[in-house]
Amino acid sequence: MSELYTLADQALIAFAIIGIFISWKNPIATWFFLSYLMIISIDLTFSYISFEWKVHYYIFQAILNIAFIIPIVYRRNLALFLYQKTDSRFFKQAYEKQTLSSQECMILLIFLGAALVNIFTWLEILAYKHYWIDNAYIKLYVRNNIIMLIQLVLCVCFVAYAIQSKSRDWNYEATK
């Protein structure tokens, strides 16, 4: 079963790259997926280190779940900053055309849910460690399955975002 969890962890990278290929001509979607690839690479880089922390691994994962919200909330500002520094047309288009989509709202809610699951798991582990409870039920039986389900739903959201990016780009051009 642990191989399935590892596969779900790695699937986000694959689906972000697939999303880039599907929506290559749309600077907003490309910028979205590039932003996520940066956060995913940070997550994968530190996950093996943080896994050794045992108790505090779950709070670190909750912090990373909140960090995954950053590309949605701040990528427009980051695109403007990078445009001012590089004068790249790509970043200018990403800044001008950026709007919040329904898929992005769903991704925000999913990451908030994952952060809550990780915080509850961390609190449960702390309670177990200090002998306040006898069994870490959430950690042992619930958390990994919920996180795997969340990651699979995120993969679907990534593909939906990439597919919808063309119609959003056409709608932007039509209203301009």
Side-chain angles (χ1 to χ4, degrees):
M1 190 71 169
S2 66
E3 294 85 18
L4 195 57
Y5 297 134
T6 304
L7 183 63
D9 282 340
Q10 305 299 326
L12 283 177
I13 292 174
F15 278 88
I17 292 171
I18 290 169
I20 288 174
F21 285 120
I22 291 173
S23 60
W24 182 252
K25 293 185 178 184
N26 185 330
I28 300 165
T30 304
W31 179 235
F32 174 82
F33 288 117
L34 287 174
S35 301
Y36 264 102
L37 281 174
M38 287 186 278
I39 300 292
I40 291 169
S41 62
I42 290 169
D43 179 25
L44 291 176
T45 301
F46 289 107
S47 66
Y48 295 108
I49 296 168
S50 66
F51 191 71
E52 297 297 320
W53 296 347
K54 305 293 183 208
V55 173
H56 301 296
Y57 168 77
Y58 301 100
I59 195 67
F60 179 74
Q61 287 300 310
I63 291 168
L64 278 176
N65 291 139
I66 293 169
F68 272 99
I69 294 171
I70 292 171
I72 293 174
V73 177
Y74 292 109
R75 82 172 183 272
R76 185 168 194 253
N77 296 337
L78 183 58
L80 176 62
F81 174 76
L82 291 172
Y83 169 68
Q84 291 171 343
K85 297 297 179 193
T86 63
D87 203 34
S88 170
R89 191 174 140 248
F90 171 78
F91 292 119
K92 181 180 180 185
Q93 287 179 337
Y95 172 74
E96 290 175 347
K97 294 181 178 183
Q98 174 61 45
T99 58
L100 191 63
S101 69
S102 60
Q103 291 87 9
E104 289 173 316
C105 292
M106 182 62 153
I107 291 169
L108 279 171
L109 291 174
I110 289 169
F111 278 121
L112 287 174
L116 286 174
V117 167
N118 282 313
I119 288 170
F120 286 136
T121 305
W122 179 65
L123 292 172
E124 181 189 50
I125 296 297
L126 286 176
Y128 180 76
K129 181 180 175 185
H130 294 292
Y131 303 106
W132 295 341
I133 59 174
D134 294 331
N135 188 5
Y137 183 79
I138 295 172
K139 180 209 179 285
L140 294 175
Y141 304 111
V142 177
R143 186 241 178 221
N144 290 343
N145 294 325
I146 289 176
I147 296 298
M148 185 176 67
L149 179 66
I150 284 171
Q151 289 174 330
L152 294 176
V153 170
L154 280 171
C155 291
V156 171
C157 287
F158 279 4
V159 170
Y161 182 85
I163 292 170
Q164 291 292 322
S165 68
K166 291 181 183 181
S167 66
R168 278 192 305 274
D169 198 32
W170 291 332
N171 289 341
Y172 175 81
E173 296 299 327
T175 59
K176 194 171 178 185

